Amino acid sequence: MAGGAYVLGSIVAGPVLAVGGMMLASKAEEAKHNAYSNLSIARVAAEQMETANVAAQGVHTRIKEIHQVLGKLDDTFEPLLKGLQGLVTDAQQYWTGEVDYTTLPKENQIGIMAAMMMAKTIKNVLETPILDEQGLITEASGAVIDTAHNNLLEVQERLA
């Protein structure tokens, strides 16, 4: 009788273990597919983050370029502005009515022209958008930096 129970128990246990093993294998296979799916999602996210990082570095570089050119423009504009203030003070003391630009000494004419050019260049740099609607760096922001450098060189040559 004990032997019969043992054989009967073995007969029942075999299929139970087989079914249990198949269920575990099925769950393991599902977990493996989920892991590969998550890996694909993670790779796509990593690529997107790398793209965003490259874009952010580009924006940082462009902002740094703008900051540098604005510093140079300011360094050139500040003394010109002080010269204009002195010219206005002198004009108020010595002239009545309007001052005719063409009658001013040549160095004052050059100073006024240079100050106006620097003011306009600073305004253009500040007003030019860095990014377009898609979040890409604009060509105009690069062009305005080049123009600002050219204007600086022209003013410095005229003032020399």
Side-chain angles (χ1 to χ4, degrees):
M1 197 142 127
Y6 177 74
V7 170
L8 186 58
S10 297
I11 291 173
V12 172
V16 168
L17 289 174
V19 170
M22 285 189 288
M23 288 178 57
L24 286 175
S26 172
K27 294 244 184 219
E29 190 67 26
E30 181 181 337
K32 181 176 118 181
H33 288 301
N34 286 341
Y36 281 125
S37 175
N38 289 339
L39 178 62
S40 296
I41 291 169
R43 285 184 176 152
V44 168
E47 288 176 19
Q48 290 173 342
M49 284 185 255
E50 182 60 30
T51 301
N53 186 36
V54 168
Q57 288 175 352
V59 171
H60 176 74
T61 299
R62 183 55 50 90
I63 289 172
K64 192 173 177 181
E65 293 168 344
I66 290 171
H67 183 264
Q68 289 172 346
V69 78
L70 283 172
K72 291 176 184 177
L73 289 167
D74 185 54
D75 290 345
T76 303
F77 185 53
E78 193 67 33
L80 292 170
L81 193 56
K82 287 181 181 175
L84 278 178
Q85 290 169 338
L87 182 62
V88 169
T89 300
D90 290 346
Q92 290 173 343
Q93 292 175 357
Y94 300 110
W95 291 301
T96 57
E98 292 185 19
V99 177
D100 183 1
Y101 173 82
T102 59
T103 63
L104 294 174
K106 192 71 169 171
E107 72 176 30
N108 288 347
Q109 290 179 3
I110 292 171
I112 291 170
M113 180 279 312
M116 295 296 290
M117 190 173 194
M118 288 296 93
K120 183 177 180 183
T121 302
I122 291 170
K123 175 188 172 288
N124 290 341
V125 170
L126 292 173
E127 287 182 347
T128 302
I130 298 171
L131 301 175
D132 62 14
E133 292 81 23
Q134 289 80 32
L136 302 174
I137 297 172
T138 62
E139 290 181 24
S141 64
V144 78
I145 291 169
D146 293 340
T147 301
H149 283 296
N150 292 337
N151 289 351
L152 273 167
L153 290 174
E154 183 180 335
V155 165
Q156 290 168 350
E157 286 174 4
R158 288 185 185 214
L159 294 174

